[in-house]
Amino acid sequence: MVTLSEENYLKAIYHLALRNDEKVSTNAIAQKMQTKASSATDMIKKLSEKGLVDYQKYKGVNLTEKGRLSAVSVIRKHRLWEVFLVDKLSFNWDEVHEVAEQLEHIKSEKLTQQLDAFLNYPTKDPHGDPIPDPSGNMPSTEKVLLAKIENHKHCICIGVKDSSAEFLQYLDKHNIALGTEITIVSKESFDESMTLKINKTPLVISKEVSHNLFVKIN
Amino acid sequence: MVTLSEENYLKAIYHLALRNDEKVSTNAIAQKMQTKASSATDMIKKLSEKGLVDYQKYKGVNLTEKGRLSAVSVIRKHRLWEVFLVDKLSFNWDEVHEVAEQLEHIKSEKLTQQLDAFLNYPTKDPHGDPIPDPSGNMPSTEKVLLAKIENHKHCICIGVKDSSAEFLQYLDKHNIALGTEITIVSKESFDESMTLKINKTPLVISKEVSHNLFVKIN
DNA sequence: ATTTATTTTTAGACAAGACTAAAAATTTAT
DNA sequence: ATAAATTTTTAGTCTTGTCTAAAAATAAAT
């Protein structure tokens, strides 16, 4: 039995660990959960005892397969309910999140199955995020080069094409990491340079950078 | 803000107080909630402080108007979701209760409104129970004489036609009170007598009894 | 009208989840 | 490489909702 709170933590860890093997820090979890680091530590221990995460003190956590399945199941329900709200109950796409945050915790295998069928087995939620299948497979989000993103869009860094030390150090220096949110402020067509905004800080990058960074739109 | 537990207690009190002014005992609440009397007392105090029930020590509780509205709102949601599950997700009528017990606590005015519209403003749930309107009016359940109930049906005692002391004492003696659940085991056509089951105990009654007891089907 | 039985309330404890403040470990910087 | 800063953990407290055991109030019975 996974409690509501535990489900929310698992979901947070899932979203923070963009690559599956990546370790997630206590602070990152606390921030995402809008709580204090000490509370996060308490919960991490609980999840660890239940075999939902791998945990070593001071080293961060990893979802176990059991934990990943639990997180993905919640995300599946969340996204199915979002489709329901928009398609059947004429909600706007910006009104569905907080209601889906509640509905995602309803426990009934049959409910989820029947809802999926009723909605005609959708593959994406109203925001374009993929809906995991019943056995927990998350359709992989297509990687896109930052260079392809349109002006004014938001995206999230999910990988690199050039993984040289030089490039990685450049990214570190400018606070770009896996999971960093990037906004495209403007694009120069003559040299393909771009102005980004990273955590409210502007950054001008060359085409060498934008052609070597994978992002996903969200 | 009414918590999930508080909502469940209010619902229990609502169902126990068949007449609105009737006082409900701590023990009755504890039994309905599958908990201990001391826990019920604790919760009653909390509800009383929030102005959801009127409470005097050792005297039982009454829902206030505020408490009644809260209870009816939860019941409305419960019954709407039951209709949804049966009509849209092809659940059987006997499978809906436990899922509806979860869904009834989802907080979103818009969700309830839109669901109501989507289901075409139903007036009864799959078990025939009336669905309260958005402003908290519960359609009155029609009183039916026990004599009219078909064989093998379950019903609940909700009133008497003959309110003489003799008749009331007879009912007391046989453990029939407002709220008592009655099953019709068999009916004799030649003298209109019936065999009932009250709390697993069989009871044979005459037509004088069955023609003076109001029940509702449930 | 007292005693007996039942119901209700109090007192104290516990688990889940969160918090504060302080200690310990790790990372960064000089 | 050691000091400073940051992150993480521990220890102790709080709230919600539950429990047990005992006390107090009410109801039933002789």
Short mmCIF file of all heavy atoms in Angstrom, two decimals, chain B residues 5-17 32-33 63 67 70-72 74-75 78 97 100-101 104-105:
data_model
loop_
_atom_site.label_atom_id
_atom_site.label_comp_id
_atom_site.label_asym_id
_atom_site.label_seq_id
_atom_site.Cartn_x
_atom_site.Cartn_y
_atom_site.Cartn_z
N SER B 5 -11.76 13.08 6.47
CA SER B 5 -12.36 12.37 7.61
C SER B 5 -13.62 13.06 8.11
O SER B 5 -14.61 12.41 8.41
CB SER B 5 -11.35 12.29 8.75
OG SER B 5 -10.82 11.02 8.84
N GLU B 6 -13.53 14.36 8.22
CA GLU B 6 -14.70 15.12 8.67
C GLU B 6 -15.88 14.90 7.73
O GLU B 6 -17.01 14.70 8.17
CB GLU B 6 -14.35 16.61 8.78
CG GLU B 6 -13.41 16.91 9.95
CD GLU B 6 -12.79 18.30 9.88
OE1 GLU B 6 -12.96 18.99 8.85
OE2 GLU B 6 -12.12 18.70 10.84
N GLU B 7 -15.60 14.93 6.44
CA GLU B 7 -16.67 14.69 5.45
C GLU B 7 -17.32 13.33 5.68
O GLU B 7 -18.55 13.19 5.61
CB GLU B 7 -16.12 14.78 4.02
CG GLU B 7 -15.88 16.20 3.55
CD GLU B 7 -15.50 16.28 2.06
OE1 GLU B 7 -15.16 15.24 1.45
OE2 GLU B 7 -15.54 17.39 1.51
N ASN B 8 -16.50 12.32 5.95
CA ASN B 8 -17.05 10.98 6.15
C ASN B 8 -17.91 10.91 7.41
O ASN B 8 -18.95 10.25 7.42
CB ASN B 8 -15.93 9.95 6.19
CG ASN B 8 -15.41 9.64 4.79
OD1 ASN B 8 -16.15 9.72 3.81
ND2 ASN B 8 -14.13 9.30 4.70
N TYR B 9 -17.49 11.60 8.46
CA TYR B 9 -18.30 11.63 9.68
C TYR B 9 -19.62 12.37 9.42
O TYR B 9 -20.68 11.92 9.86
CB TYR B 9 -17.52 12.30 10.82
CG TYR B 9 -16.68 11.35 11.63
CD1 TYR B 9 -15.34 11.12 11.30
CD2 TYR B 9 -17.20 10.66 12.72
CE1 TYR B 9 -14.56 10.26 12.03
CE2 TYR B 9 -16.41 9.79 13.47
CZ TYR B 9 -15.09 9.59 13.13
OH TYR B 9 -14.33 8.73 13.85
N LEU B 10 -19.56 13.50 8.74
CA LEU B 10 -20.78 14.26 8.45
C LEU B 10 -21.77 13.41 7.66
O LEU B 10 -22.97 13.39 7.92
CB LEU B 10 -20.44 15.53 7.67
CG LEU B 10 -19.68 16.61 8.44
CD1 LEU B 10 -19.26 17.75 7.51
CD2 LEU B 10 -20.51 17.15 9.61
N LYS B 11 -21.23 12.67 6.69
CA LYS B 11 -22.06 11.79 5.87
C LYS B 11 -22.72 10.73 6.75
O LYS B 11 -23.92 10.46 6.63
CB LYS B 11 -21.16 11.13 4.82
CG LYS B 11 -21.85 10.69 3.58
CD LYS B 11 -20.85 10.14 2.53
CE LYS B 11 -19.70 9.35 3.11
NZ LYS B 11 -19.31 8.20 2.26
N ALA B 12 -21.93 10.16 7.65
CA ALA B 12 -22.47 9.13 8.55
C ALA B 12 -23.59 9.70 9.42
O ALA B 12 -24.65 9.09 9.57
CB ALA B 12 -21.35 8.57 9.43
N ILE B 13 -23.36 10.88 9.97
CA ILE B 13 -24.37 11.51 10.83
C ILE B 13 -25.62 11.80 10.00
O ILE B 13 -26.74 11.54 10.45
CB ILE B 13 -23.81 12.81 11.47
CG1 ILE B 13 -22.66 12.46 12.41
CG2 ILE B 13 -24.92 13.55 12.21
CD1 ILE B 13 -21.84 13.66 12.88
N TYR B 14 -25.41 12.30 8.79
CA TYR B 14 -26.56 12.58 7.93
C TYR B 14 -27.40 11.32 7.72
O TYR B 14 -28.63 11.34 7.85
CB TYR B 14 -26.09 13.12 6.57
CG TYR B 14 -27.25 13.45 5.65
CD1 TYR B 14 -27.81 14.72 5.63
CD2 TYR B 14 -27.78 12.48 4.80
CE1 TYR B 14 -28.89 15.02 4.81
CE2 TYR B 14 -28.86 12.77 3.98
CZ TYR B 14 -29.41 14.04 3.99
OH TYR B 14 -30.47 14.33 3.18
N HIS B 15 -26.74 10.22 7.40
CA HIS B 15 -27.47 8.98 7.12
C HIS B 15 -28.14 8.41 8.37
O HIS B 15 -29.19 7.76 8.27
CB HIS B 15 -26.55 7.94 6.49
CG HIS B 15 -26.24 8.23 5.05
ND1 HIS B 15 -27.21 8.44 4.10
CD2 HIS B 15 -25.05 8.34 4.40
CE1 HIS B 15 -26.64 8.68 2.93
NE2 HIS B 15 -25.34 8.63 3.08
N LEU B 16 -27.53 8.65 9.52
CA LEU B 16 -28.11 8.13 10.76
C LEU B 16 -29.31 8.95 11.22
O LEU B 16 -30.26 8.39 11.78
CB LEU B 16 -27.05 8.10 11.87
CG LEU B 16 -25.97 7.02 11.72
CD1 LEU B 16 -24.82 7.28 12.67
CD2 LEU B 16 -26.54 5.63 11.94
N ALA B 17 -29.28 10.24 10.96
CA ALA B 17 -30.38 11.11 11.41
C ALA B 17 -31.42 11.17 10.32
O ALA B 17 -31.49 12.12 9.56
CB ALA B 17 -29.85 12.51 11.72
N LYS B 32 -21.04 3.11 12.79
CA LYS B 32 -21.13 3.39 11.34
C LYS B 32 -19.75 3.65 10.74
O LYS B 32 -19.47 3.26 9.61
CB LYS B 32 -22.03 4.60 11.11
CG LYS B 32 -22.34 4.88 9.65
CD LYS B 32 -23.82 4.73 9.38
CE LYS B 32 -24.18 4.75 7.92
NZ LYS B 32 -25.59 4.36 7.71
N MET B 33 -18.89 4.30 11.51
CA MET B 33 -17.56 4.64 11.00
C MET B 33 -16.55 3.53 11.24
O MET B 33 -15.36 3.70 10.96
CB MET B 33 -17.06 5.92 11.67
CG MET B 33 -17.82 7.17 11.28
SD MET B 33 -17.76 7.48 9.50
CE MET B 33 -16.00 7.76 9.26
N LEU B 63 -26.71 17.76 12.94
CA LEU B 63 -26.01 18.56 11.94
C LEU B 63 -26.55 19.99 11.99
O LEU B 63 -27.75 20.21 12.13
CB LEU B 63 -26.26 17.99 10.54
CG LEU B 63 -25.60 16.66 10.20
CD1 LEU B 63 -25.95 16.26 8.78
CD2 LEU B 63 -24.08 16.72 10.37
N GLY B 67 -23.29 21.99 8.34
CA GLY B 67 -22.89 20.59 8.30
C GLY B 67 -23.74 19.78 7.33
O GLY B 67 -23.22 18.91 6.61
N SER B 70 -22.67 20.44 3.80
CA SER B 70 -21.42 19.74 3.51
C SER B 70 -21.68 18.26 3.24
O SER B 70 -21.17 17.69 2.26
CB SER B 70 -20.46 19.94 4.69
OG SER B 70 -19.20 19.43 4.38
N ALA B 71 -22.50 17.64 4.08
CA ALA B 71 -22.81 16.22 3.91
C ALA B 71 -23.53 15.98 2.59
O ALA B 71 -23.18 15.06 1.82
CB ALA B 71 -23.68 15.74 5.07
N VAL B 72 -24.53 16.81 2.31
CA VAL B 72 -25.31 16.62 1.09
C VAL B 72 -24.45 16.82 -0.15
O VAL B 72 -24.61 16.14 -1.16
CB VAL B 72 -26.54 17.56 1.09
CG1 VAL B 72 -27.22 17.55 -0.26
CG2 VAL B 72 -27.52 17.13 2.17
N VAL B 74 -21.32 16.07 -0.44
CA VAL B 74 -20.55 14.84 -0.62
C VAL B 74 -21.44 13.74 -1.21
O VAL B 74 -21.04 13.02 -2.12
CB VAL B 74 -19.92 14.38 0.71
CG1 VAL B 74 -19.27 13.02 0.56
CG2 VAL B 74 -18.91 15.39 1.20
N ILE B 75 -22.67 13.65 -0.70
CA ILE B 75 -23.60 12.63 -1.19
C ILE B 75 -23.95 12.89 -2.66
O ILE B 75 -24.03 11.96 -3.47
CB ILE B 75 -24.87 12.61 -0.31
CG1 ILE B 75 -24.50 12.09 1.08
CG2 ILE B 75 -25.96 11.75 -0.94
CD1 ILE B 75 -25.57 12.33 2.14
N HIS B 78 -21.02 11.70 -4.65
CA HIS B 78 -21.00 10.23 -4.62
C HIS B 78 -21.97 9.66 -5.65
O HIS B 78 -21.60 8.79 -6.46
CB HIS B 78 -21.37 9.74 -3.22
CG HIS B 78 -21.34 8.25 -3.06
ND1 HIS B 78 -20.33 7.60 -2.40
CD2 HIS B 78 -22.19 7.29 -3.49
CE1 HIS B 78 -20.56 6.30 -2.42
NE2 HIS B 78 -21.70 6.07 -3.08
N HIS B 97 -19.71 1.33 -5.48
CA HIS B 97 -19.69 2.02 -4.20
C HIS B 97 -18.29 2.42 -3.73
O HIS B 97 -18.04 3.59 -3.39
CB HIS B 97 -20.38 1.21 -3.11
CG HIS B 97 -20.49 1.96 -1.82
ND1 HIS B 97 -21.40 2.99 -1.65
CD2 HIS B 97 -19.78 1.89 -0.67
CE1 HIS B 97 -21.24 3.50 -0.45
NE2 HIS B 97 -20.27 2.87 0.17
N ALA B 100 -16.78 5.19 -5.74
CA ALA B 100 -17.48 6.46 -5.48
C ALA B 100 -17.10 7.02 -4.11
O ALA B 100 -17.07 8.24 -3.92
CB ALA B 100 -18.99 6.28 -5.60
N GLU B 101 -16.81 6.14 -3.16
CA GLU B 101 -16.36 6.59 -1.84
C GLU B 101 -15.08 7.41 -1.93
O GLU B 101 -14.83 8.29 -1.11
CB GLU B 101 -16.08 5.38 -0.93
CG GLU B 101 -17.32 4.69 -0.42
CD GLU B 101 -18.06 5.48 0.65
OE1 GLU B 101 -17.45 5.77 1.69
OE2 GLU B 101 -19.23 5.83 0.42
N GLU B 104 -16.01 10.87 -4.28
CA GLU B 104 -16.89 11.87 -3.65
C GLU B 104 -16.12 12.98 -2.94
O GLU B 104 -16.69 14.01 -2.61
CB GLU B 104 -17.83 11.19 -2.64
CG GLU B 104 -17.11 10.69 -1.40
CD GLU B 104 -18.00 9.85 -0.48
OE1 GLU B 104 -19.14 9.58 -0.84
OE2 GLU B 104 -17.49 9.45 0.60
N HIS B 105 -14.84 12.77 -2.67
CA HIS B 105 -14.07 13.76 -1.93
C HIS B 105 -13.27 14.71 -2.82
O HIS B 105 -12.57 15.59 -2.31
CB HIS B 105 -13.14 13.07 -0.94
CG HIS B 105 -13.87 12.23 0.07
ND1 HIS B 105 -14.66 12.76 1.06
CD2 HIS B 105 -13.96 10.88 0.20
CE1 HIS B 105 -15.21 11.79 1.76
NE2 HIS B 105 -14.80 10.64 1.27
#
